Amino acid sequence: MRLNLPPLSQTLTSIWYGESPARWALWPAALAYRAVAQLRRAAYQRELLKAVELPVPVVVIGNVSVGGTGKTPFVIWLAAQLRQRNLRVGIVTRGYRGHATDWPRLVAPDSDPRDVGDEPVLLARRTGCPVAAGPDRVAAAQRLLAEQPVDVLLSDDGLQHYRLARRFEIAVVDGERGMGNGLCLPAGPLREPPERLSEVDAIVVNGGDWGHAGVFRAAAVVTSVYRVKDREVRPLESFKRGPVHAVAGIGNPQRFFDLLENAGLDVVPHPLEDHAELGPEQLHFDDPYGPVLVTEKDAVKCESFAHEDVWCVAVGLHFDADNTARLMRLVLRDLRGPAA
Protein backbone atom coordinates (compact mmCIF):
# COMPACT_ATOMS: atom_id res chain seq x y z
CA MET A 1 0.00 0.00 0.00
CA ARG A 2 1.48 3.34 -1.04
CA LEU A 3 0.48 6.08 1.37
CA ASN A 4 -0.28 9.61 0.33
CA LEU A 5 1.78 11.06 3.16
CA PRO A 6 2.16 14.81 3.72
CA PRO A 7 5.15 15.98 1.63
CA LEU A 8 7.53 16.53 4.55
CA SER A 9 6.69 13.17 6.14
CA GLN A 10 7.12 11.41 2.81
CA THR A 11 10.54 13.00 2.30
CA LEU A 12 11.77 12.20 5.81
CA THR A 13 10.49 8.62 5.64
CA SER A 14 12.43 8.00 2.43
CA ILE A 15 15.58 9.46 3.98
CA TRP A 16 15.32 7.84 7.42
CA TYR A 17 14.01 4.40 6.46
CA GLY A 18 14.98 4.06 2.81
CA GLU A 19 18.05 4.38 0.63
CA SER A 20 17.76 8.06 -0.23
CA PRO A 21 21.24 9.59 -0.76
CA ALA A 22 19.89 12.84 0.69
CA ARG A 23 20.90 11.56 4.12
CA TRP A 24 24.54 12.24 3.30
CA ALA A 25 23.80 15.88 2.57
CA LEU A 26 22.35 16.08 6.09
CA TRP A 27 25.15 14.06 7.68
CA PRO A 28 27.20 17.08 8.94
CA ALA A 29 24.12 18.44 10.72
CA ALA A 30 23.50 14.97 12.17
CA LEU A 31 27.04 14.87 13.56
CA ALA A 32 26.52 18.23 15.24
CA TYR A 33 23.18 17.10 16.68
CA ARG A 34 24.76 13.88 17.98
CA ALA A 35 27.60 15.81 19.63
CA VAL A 36 25.22 18.19 21.39
CA ALA A 37 23.05 15.29 22.61
CA GLN A 38 26.09 13.47 24.00
CA LEU A 39 27.48 16.59 25.67
CA ARG A 40 24.14 17.30 27.33
CA ARG A 41 23.87 13.75 28.67
CA ALA A 42 27.47 13.86 29.90
CA ALA A 43 26.77 17.13 31.72
CA TYR A 44 24.02 15.43 33.75
CA GLN A 45 26.07 12.28 34.32
CA ARG A 46 28.95 14.34 35.71
CA GLU A 47 26.49 16.53 37.67
CA LEU A 48 27.53 19.71 35.87
CA LEU A 49 23.78 20.03 35.36
CA LYS A 50 21.66 18.91 38.30
CA ALA A 51 18.77 16.48 38.03
CA VAL A 52 15.86 16.98 40.41
CA GLU A 53 15.14 14.07 42.74
CA LEU A 54 11.52 13.49 43.67
CA PRO A 55 10.24 11.83 46.87
CA VAL A 56 8.84 8.87 44.88
CA PRO A 57 10.56 6.60 42.35
CA VAL A 58 10.26 7.68 38.70
CA VAL A 59 10.03 5.29 35.76
CA VAL A 60 10.79 6.96 32.45
CA ILE A 61 9.30 5.50 29.27
CA GLY A 62 10.69 6.86 26.02
CA ASN A 63 12.62 6.07 22.89
CA VAL A 64 15.68 7.19 20.99
CA SER A 65 13.81 7.70 17.72
CA VAL A 66 11.10 10.13 16.69
CA GLY A 67 7.72 8.91 15.56
CA GLY A 68 5.31 6.36 16.98
CA THR A 69 6.86 3.34 18.66
CA GLY A 70 4.02 2.52 21.05
CA LYS A 71 5.10 4.47 24.13
CA THR A 72 1.60 5.56 25.14
CA PRO A 73 0.05 2.05 24.89
CA PHE A 74 2.98 0.77 26.93
CA VAL A 75 2.46 3.43 29.63
CA ILE A 76 -1.18 2.33 29.80
CA TRP A 77 -0.12 -1.32 30.11
CA LEU A 78 2.52 -0.63 32.76
CA ALA A 79 0.18 1.56 34.82
CA ALA A 80 -2.35 -1.28 34.88
CA GLN A 81 0.32 -3.80 35.93
CA LEU A 82 1.51 -1.59 38.78
CA ARG A 83 -2.02 -0.86 39.97
CA GLN A 84 -2.75 -4.59 40.05
CA ARG A 85 0.12 -4.80 42.52
CA ASN A 86 -1.53 -2.18 44.77
CA LEU A 87 0.76 0.69 43.82
CA ARG A 88 -0.67 4.18 43.43
CA VAL A 89 0.50 5.42 40.03
CA GLY A 90 0.81 8.97 38.73
CA ILE A 91 1.69 9.96 35.16
CA VAL A 92 3.46 13.01 33.76
CA THR A 93 3.58 13.84 30.07
CA ARG A 94 4.49 16.75 27.86
CA GLY A 95 1.07 17.84 26.62
CA TYR A 96 2.36 18.23 23.07
CA ARG A 97 0.26 20.55 20.89
CA GLY A 98 -1.86 21.62 23.82
CA HIS A 99 -2.75 25.31 23.52
CA ALA A 100 -2.98 26.13 27.22
CA THR A 101 -1.07 29.24 28.26
CA ASP A 102 -0.46 28.12 31.84
CA TRP A 103 1.53 24.97 32.58
CA PRO A 104 1.66 22.48 34.20
CA ARG A 105 -1.93 21.28 34.08
CA LEU A 106 -3.70 18.49 35.91
CA VAL A 107 -5.57 16.40 33.36
CA ALA A 108 -8.95 14.74 33.87
CA PRO A 109 -10.74 12.30 31.55
CA ASP A 110 -13.01 15.15 30.42
CA SER A 111 -10.24 17.73 29.90
CA ASP A 112 -10.23 19.52 26.55
CA PRO A 113 -7.50 17.99 24.33
CA ARG A 114 -7.16 21.37 22.61
CA ASP A 115 -5.86 22.74 25.92
CA VAL A 116 -3.71 19.90 27.22
CA GLY A 117 -3.03 17.70 24.18
CA ASP A 118 -4.54 14.43 23.03
CA GLU A 119 -2.20 11.97 24.76
CA PRO A 120 -2.72 13.30 28.32
CA VAL A 121 -6.51 12.99 27.95
CA LEU A 122 -6.15 9.48 26.55
CA LEU A 123 -3.86 8.50 29.44
CA ALA A 124 -6.28 9.88 32.02
CA ARG A 125 -9.18 7.96 30.47
CA ARG A 126 -7.45 4.64 29.92
CA THR A 127 -5.48 4.38 33.16
CA GLY A 128 -7.67 6.01 35.80
CA CYS A 129 -4.46 7.48 37.22
CA PRO A 130 -3.81 11.12 38.09
CA VAL A 131 -2.11 12.81 35.13
CA ALA A 132 -0.18 16.07 34.90
CA ALA A 133 0.98 17.63 31.64
CA GLY A 134 3.54 20.29 30.83
CA PRO A 135 6.72 20.93 28.84
CA ASP A 136 8.68 20.95 32.12
CA ARG A 137 8.17 17.45 33.46
CA VAL A 138 9.77 18.32 36.80
CA ALA A 139 7.20 21.06 37.36
CA ALA A 140 4.42 18.74 36.18
CA ALA A 141 5.57 16.02 38.59
CA GLN A 142 5.82 18.43 41.50
CA ARG A 143 2.32 19.74 40.79
CA LEU A 144 0.90 16.23 40.69
CA LEU A 145 2.67 15.13 43.88
CA ALA A 146 1.45 18.22 45.72
CA GLU A 147 -2.16 17.22 45.06
CA GLN A 148 -2.22 13.42 44.72
CA PRO A 149 -0.71 10.66 46.89
CA VAL A 150 1.23 8.32 44.59
CA ASP A 151 3.80 5.57 45.13
CA VAL A 152 5.42 5.65 41.69
CA LEU A 153 5.52 8.17 38.86
CA LEU A 154 5.57 7.24 35.16
CA SER A 155 7.04 9.77 32.75
CA ASP A 156 5.65 9.37 29.24
CA ASP A 157 8.26 10.16 26.55
CA GLY A 158 10.81 11.55 28.98
CA LEU A 159 13.98 9.66 28.08
CA GLN A 160 15.80 12.86 27.03
CA HIS A 161 14.32 14.99 29.82
CA TYR A 162 17.38 14.49 32.03
CA ARG A 163 16.45 17.18 34.53
CA LEU A 164 13.94 14.71 35.95
CA ALA A 165 15.92 12.13 37.95
CA ARG A 166 14.75 8.58 37.37
CA ARG A 167 14.96 5.21 39.10
CA PHE A 168 14.31 3.12 35.99
CA GLU A 169 14.44 3.71 32.21
CA ILE A 170 12.46 1.81 29.58
CA ALA A 171 12.98 2.40 25.86
CA VAL A 172 10.22 1.37 23.45
CA VAL A 173 11.36 0.43 19.93
CA ASP A 174 9.33 -0.13 16.77
CA GLY A 175 10.35 -3.69 15.94
CA GLU A 176 9.75 -3.21 12.22
CA ARG A 177 11.54 0.12 11.78
CA GLY A 178 14.25 -0.41 14.38
CA MET A 179 16.83 2.39 14.32
CA GLY A 180 16.15 3.29 10.67
CA ASN A 181 19.40 4.30 8.98
CA GLY A 182 21.11 4.61 12.38
CA LEU A 183 21.77 8.35 12.05
CA CYS A 184 20.74 11.20 14.33
CA LEU A 185 18.43 14.02 13.31
CA PRO A 186 18.04 15.44 10.72
CA ALA A 187 19.76 12.76 8.58
CA GLY A 188 18.07 9.95 10.50
CA PRO A 189 15.26 9.40 13.00
CA LEU A 190 17.38 9.23 16.16
CA ARG A 191 17.21 11.72 19.03
CA GLU A 192 20.31 10.14 20.55
CA PRO A 193 22.94 7.72 19.21
CA PRO A 194 21.78 4.08 19.02
CA GLU A 195 24.27 3.06 21.72
CA ARG A 196 22.09 4.97 24.21
CA LEU A 197 19.95 1.84 24.28
CA SER A 198 22.76 -0.03 26.03
CA GLU A 199 22.30 2.28 29.02
CA VAL A 200 18.57 1.85 29.66
CA ASP A 201 17.23 -0.69 32.14
CA ALA A 202 14.83 -2.41 29.73
CA ILE A 203 14.02 -2.39 26.02
CA VAL A 204 10.47 -3.14 24.89
CA VAL A 205 10.13 -4.08 21.22
CA ASN A 206 6.72 -3.44 19.69
CA GLY A 207 6.15 -5.99 16.90
CA GLY A 208 8.65 -7.03 14.24
CA ASP A 209 11.87 -8.90 14.89
CA TRP A 210 14.38 -6.15 15.70
CA GLY A 211 16.50 -6.64 18.79
CA HIS A 212 18.41 -9.23 20.74
CA ALA A 213 17.58 -12.01 23.19
CA GLY A 214 17.36 -9.70 26.20
CA VAL A 215 14.55 -7.45 24.95
CA PHE A 216 10.91 -7.70 26.04
CA ARG A 217 8.60 -8.37 23.10
CA ALA A 218 5.05 -7.12 22.74
CA ALA A 219 2.43 -7.07 20.00
CA ALA A 220 -0.23 -4.48 19.25
CA VAL A 221 -3.76 -5.90 19.51
CA VAL A 222 -7.21 -4.42 19.07
CA THR A 223 -8.93 -4.32 22.45
CA SER A 224 -12.28 -2.82 21.39
CA VAL A 225 -14.06 -0.89 18.64
CA TYR A 226 -16.68 1.67 19.59
CA ARG A 227 -18.67 4.43 17.92
CA VAL A 228 -17.14 7.77 18.88
CA LYS A 229 -20.52 9.48 19.17
CA ASP A 230 -22.20 7.18 21.68
CA ARG A 231 -19.71 4.40 22.64
CA GLU A 232 -21.72 1.63 20.99
CA VAL A 233 -19.41 -1.39 20.69
CA ARG A 234 -18.97 -3.45 17.51
CA PRO A 235 -16.62 -6.35 16.70
CA LEU A 236 -13.82 -5.46 14.32
CA GLU A 237 -14.80 -8.38 12.08
CA SER A 238 -18.12 -6.68 11.30
CA PHE A 239 -16.26 -4.08 9.24
CA LYS A 240 -15.22 -6.66 6.64
CA ARG A 241 -18.43 -6.09 4.66
CA GLY A 242 -16.97 -3.29 2.55
CA PRO A 243 -14.27 -0.62 2.35
CA VAL A 244 -13.36 1.36 5.46
CA HIS A 245 -11.63 4.73 5.68
CA ALA A 246 -8.80 4.66 8.22
CA VAL A 247 -7.69 8.04 9.62
CA ALA A 248 -4.52 8.17 11.71
CA GLY A 249 -2.76 11.24 13.07
CA ILE A 250 -0.04 9.30 14.88
CA GLY A 251 3.72 8.98 14.58
CA ASN A 252 3.57 5.88 12.38
CA PRO A 253 0.14 5.69 10.71
CA GLN A 254 1.21 2.67 8.67
CA ARG A 255 1.19 0.60 11.85
CA PHE A 256 -2.54 1.36 12.32
CA PHE A 257 -3.37 0.61 8.69
CA ASP A 258 -1.45 -2.68 8.78
CA LEU A 259 -3.28 -3.72 11.93
CA LEU A 260 -6.62 -3.26 10.19
CA GLU A 261 -5.48 -4.93 6.97
CA ASN A 262 -4.13 -7.92 8.90
CA ALA A 263 -7.60 -8.28 10.42
CA GLY A 264 -8.99 -8.70 6.89
CA LEU A 265 -10.41 -5.21 6.34
CA ASP A 266 -10.41 -3.40 2.99
CA VAL A 267 -8.59 -0.23 4.09
CA VAL A 268 -8.56 3.16 2.40
CA PRO A 269 -5.74 4.92 4.31
CA HIS A 270 -5.74 8.61 5.26
CA PRO A 271 -2.47 9.40 7.08
CA LEU A 272 -2.15 12.71 8.93
CA GLU A 273 0.72 14.39 10.73
CA ASP A 274 1.30 13.21 14.29
CA HIS A 275 -1.06 15.01 16.71
CA ALA A 276 -2.80 16.68 13.75
CA GLU A 277 -5.77 18.88 14.59
CA LEU A 278 -8.96 17.33 13.25
CA GLY A 279 -12.07 18.89 11.78
CA PRO A 280 -15.25 17.45 10.23
CA GLU A 281 -13.65 17.62 6.78
CA GLN A 282 -11.11 14.93 7.77
CA LEU A 283 -13.93 12.50 8.58
CA HIS A 284 -16.17 12.74 5.50
CA PHE A 285 -15.53 10.54 2.46
CA ASP A 286 -17.94 9.79 -0.37
CA ASP A 287 -15.86 7.72 -2.78
CA PRO A 288 -15.91 4.94 -1.82
CA TYR A 289 -18.60 5.15 0.81
CA GLY A 290 -17.76 3.36 4.05
CA PRO A 291 -17.33 3.74 7.81
CA VAL A 292 -14.44 5.78 9.21
CA LEU A 293 -12.06 4.14 11.68
CA VAL A 294 -9.81 6.35 13.82
CA THR A 295 -7.15 5.82 16.48
CA GLU A 296 -7.86 6.49 20.15
CA LYS A 297 -5.59 9.51 20.07
CA ASP A 298 -7.67 10.98 17.25
CA ALA A 299 -10.99 9.93 18.80
CA VAL A 300 -10.53 12.19 21.84
CA LYS A 301 -10.24 15.17 19.48
CA CYS A 302 -13.32 14.54 17.34
CA GLU A 303 -16.03 13.59 19.85
CA SER A 304 -17.90 16.88 19.42
CA PHE A 305 -18.27 16.61 15.64
CA ALA A 306 -17.90 12.93 14.70
CA HIS A 307 -20.75 11.68 12.53
CA GLU A 308 -22.68 8.44 13.12
CA ASP A 309 -20.24 6.24 11.21
CA VAL A 310 -16.98 7.21 12.91
CA TRP A 311 -15.54 4.40 15.02
CA CYS A 312 -12.58 4.29 17.38
CA VAL A 313 -10.24 1.31 17.23
CA ALA A 314 -8.69 0.96 20.68
CA VAL A 315 -5.28 -0.70 20.58
CA GLY A 316 -3.23 -2.11 23.43
CA LEU A 317 0.07 -3.92 23.85
CA HIS A 318 0.04 -7.62 24.63
CA PHE A 319 2.94 -9.37 26.38
CA ASP A 320 2.98 -13.13 26.84
CA ALA A 321 3.22 -14.49 30.38
CA ASP A 322 6.99 -14.93 30.29
CA ASN A 323 7.74 -11.41 29.05
CA THR A 324 5.27 -9.95 31.54
CA ALA A 325 6.80 -11.82 34.48
CA ARG A 326 10.40 -10.97 33.53
CA LEU A 327 9.71 -7.29 32.93
CA MET A 328 7.64 -6.73 36.05
CA ARG A 329 10.16 -8.58 38.19
CA LEU A 330 12.86 -6.24 36.88
CA VAL A 331 10.78 -3.09 37.41
CA LEU A 332 9.58 -4.02 40.89
CA ARG A 333 13.08 -5.02 41.98
CA ASP A 334 14.17 -1.40 41.51
CA LEU A 335 10.98 0.17 42.83
CA ARG A 336 10.58 -1.94 45.97
CA GLY A 337 14.02 -3.42 46.52
CA PRO A 338 15.39 -6.96 46.28
CA ALA A 339 12.63 -8.42 48.47
CA ALA A 340 9.89 -7.52 45.95
Side-chain angles (χ1 to χ4, degrees):
M1 180 193 305
R2 181 174 175 82
L3 294 185
N4 183 25
L5 291 168
L8 179 59
S9 295
Q10 191 170 19
T11 299
L12 292 178
T13 297
S14 68
I15 293 173
W16 294 351
Y17 302 104
E19 299 296 328
S20 172
R23 66 185 184 275
W24 301 120
L26 298 170
W27 188 56
L31 287 179
Y33 183 99
R34 177 189 176 111
V36 170
Q38 289 178 312
L39 284 171
R40 182 171 176 273
R41 176 154 174 74
Y44 277 99
Q45 288 176 322
R46 297 175 184 177
E47 298 187 349
L48 300 175
L49 296 174
K50 295 291 186 180
V52 177
E53 295 279 354
L54 297 178
V56 299
V58 175
V59 178
V60 166
I61 298 100
N63 58 19
V64 298
S65 62
V66 299
T69 60
K71 293 184 308 298
T72 300
F74 177 71
V75 172
I76 293 168
W77 180 90
L78 183 58
Q81 292 290 322
L82 293 171
R83 293 185 74 189
Q84 288 173 16
R85 291 160 174 81
N86 298 317
L87 290 170
R88 297 171 298 180
V89 180
I91 299 172
V92 293
T93 186
R94 179 181 174 185
Y96 183 66
R97 292 241 177 144
H99 298 303
T101 56
D102 57 320
W103 298 98
R105 301 284 296 270
L106 294 180
V107 181
D110 60 353
S111 292
D112 189 339
R114 292 172 297 183
D115 291 336
V116 299
D118 47 29
E119 285 179 347
V121 176
L122 176 57
L123 287 168
R125 292 183 180 184
R126 284 289 302 273
T127 67
C129 298
V131 176
D136 183 345
R137 286 179 181 80
V138 171
Q142 291 171 336
R143 171 78 187 275
L144 188 150
L145 293 176
E147 302 198 28
Q148 296 285 346
V150 302
D151 300 311
V152 58
L153 201 61
L154 306 184
S155 176
D156 179 26
D157 195 21
L159 200 60
Q160 289 78 36
H161 200 91
Y162 291 118
R163 188 165 158 266
L164 178 62
R166 66 282 313 265
R167 181 79 60 85
F168 199 87
E169 289 185 329
I170 301 173
V172 184
V173 178
D174 183 331
E176 295 179 354
R177 286 182 162 186
M179 298 292 100
N181 61 17
L183 299 176
C184 285
L185 293 165
L190 302 187
R191 300 170 174 175
E192 294 184 279
E195 53 265 29
R196 171 73 170 91
L197 288 177
S198 67
E199 301 174 356
V200 302
D201 299 288
I203 300 172
V204 170
V205 178
N206 182 8
D209 56 7
W210 181 92
H212 50 78
V215 304
F216 300 90
R217 296 198 176 274
V221 296
V222 174
T223 57
S224 68
V225 182
Y226 62 87
R227 187 175 7 225
V228 173
K229 197 174 186 66
D230 60 9
R231 297 281 172 148
E232 176 188 331
V233 177
R234 235 176 103 174
L236 185 63
E237 292 74 18
S238 67
F239 292 91
K240 293 181 180 179
R241 301 167 187 163
V244 299
H245 293 273
V247 176
I250 57 178
N252 182 8
Q254 185 65 59
R255 179 183 292 278
F256 182 63
F257 305 143
D258 288 345
L259 188 69
L260 299 179
E261 284 197 329
N262 292 339
L265 276 61
D266 178 11
V267 177
V268 182
H270 302 277
L272 302 173
E273 295 285 359
D274 194 14
H275 302 279
E277 293 188 13
L278 292 180
E281 62 276 9
Q282 276 90 31
L283 302 177
H284 284 272
F285 307 99
D286 297 322
D287 186 20
Y289 176 78
V292 179
L293 305 185
V294 301
T295 71
E296 277 191 288
K297 198 161 74 170
D298 295 309
V300 302
K301 295 179 290 192
C302 67
E303 291 173 339
S304 63
F305 54 81
H307 58 76
E308 293 284 343
D309 216 6
V310 177
W311 301 79
C312 173
V313 180
V315 176
L317 285 188
H318 171 73
F319 292 79
D320 65 23
D322 176 66
N323 277 274
T324 297
R326 287 193 302 118
L327 179 55
M328 293 311 301
R329 185 163 55 245
L330 189 62
V331 172
L332 291 171
R333 183 189 67 190
D334 272 27
L335 295 186
R336 287 178 167 172

